[in-house]
Amino acid sequence: MNGPTNQLTIIPTATPTASAAQQAPPTTTLWRPTGPKELALVAAADWRAWPPRLPDQPIFYPVLNEDYAIRIARDWNVPASGVGHVTRFEVESAFLSRYPVRQAGGRTILELWVPAEELAEFNRHIVGRIEVVHEFRPQG
């Protein structure tokens, strides 16, 4: 999945009021396609953190658009584990600026590559809860 590197464009997901702006930093919406084992670990973390990577998983890959996450969950996770989920979550935009956007294929196939050793810090910058927004199962 090597490809050109782009800088993340920070687009806050909401315009906070003056008092809210003092309390909550701007956030960026990310998606993560996931299978049932990873989702169970997220649930065990009260929907607030991603589990540590396995030794053969040196990178955590959240994606930048819902359509790409849907395609992975439906086309890869369902055949691999019988179900695919798409999650959505918010991360502090300023924190995300340290990770270049990676184009993993076409123009809309965009990911952030978070090194496994930085995942605990990444989790500390999640705002709110991780939520499941789509579920896919085998058809037929």
Side-chain angles (χ1 to χ4, degrees), residues 74-98:
R74 183 189 61 219
D75 300 345
W76 296 357
N77 293 116
V78 171
S81 27
V83 63
H85 303 279
V86 174
T87 61
R88 178 176 59 207
F89 58 104
E90 303 289 324
V91 180
E92 294 172 8
S93 298
F95 174 78
L96 289 179
S97 67
R98 69 176 59 194

Side-chain angles (χ1 to χ4, degrees), residues 118-130:
E118 296 179 22
L119 187 55
E121 184 177 0
F122 179 92
N123 283 334
R124 286 191 290 276
H125 293 273
I126 293 175
V127 176
R129 292 181 177 222
I130 299 163

Side-chain angles (χ1 to χ4, degrees), residues 4 7 29-31 38 43 52 56 63 65 68 74 98 101 111 114 126-127 134 138:
Q7 280 304 106
T29 302
L30 297 174
W31 288 267
E38 184 176 56
D56 63 336
V63 303
N65 66 68
Y68 179 37
R74 183 189 61 219
R98 69 176 59 194
V101 174
E111 306 171 332
V114 179
I126 293 175
V127 176
H134 299 285

Side-chain angles (χ1 to χ4, degrees), residues 1-112:
M1 285 203 211
N2 292 333
T5 309
N6 301 312
Q7 280 304 106
L8 176 63
T9 302
I10 305 301
I11 303 173
T13 56
T15 305
T17 62
S19 61
Q22 296 171 355
Q23 297 172 5
T27 62
T28 299
T29 302
L30 297 174
W31 288 267
R32 171 114 174 124
T34 185
K37 290 180 183 178
E38 184 176 56
L39 192 64
L41 295 171
V42 170
D46 196 28
W47 302 96
R48 296 186 183 276
W50 293 100
R53 302 292 83 197
L54 298 173
D56 63 336
Q57 298 173 326
I59 304 290
F60 174 71
Y61 302 94
V63 303
L64 298 175
N65 66 68
E66 186 175 18
D67 180 61
Y68 179 37
I70 287 170
R71 285 186 278 159
I72 295 170
R74 183 189 61 219
D75 300 345
W76 296 357
N77 293 116
V78 171
S81 27
V83 63
H85 303 279
V86 174
T87 61
R88 178 176 59 207
F89 58 104
E90 303 289 324
V91 180
E92 294 172 8
S93 298
F95 174 78
L96 289 179
S97 67
R98 69 176 59 194
Y99 301 107
V101 174
R102 306 283 182 151
Q103 187 174 351
R107 291 178 53 177
T108 63
I109 301 178
L110 304 173
E111 306 171 332
L112 296 181

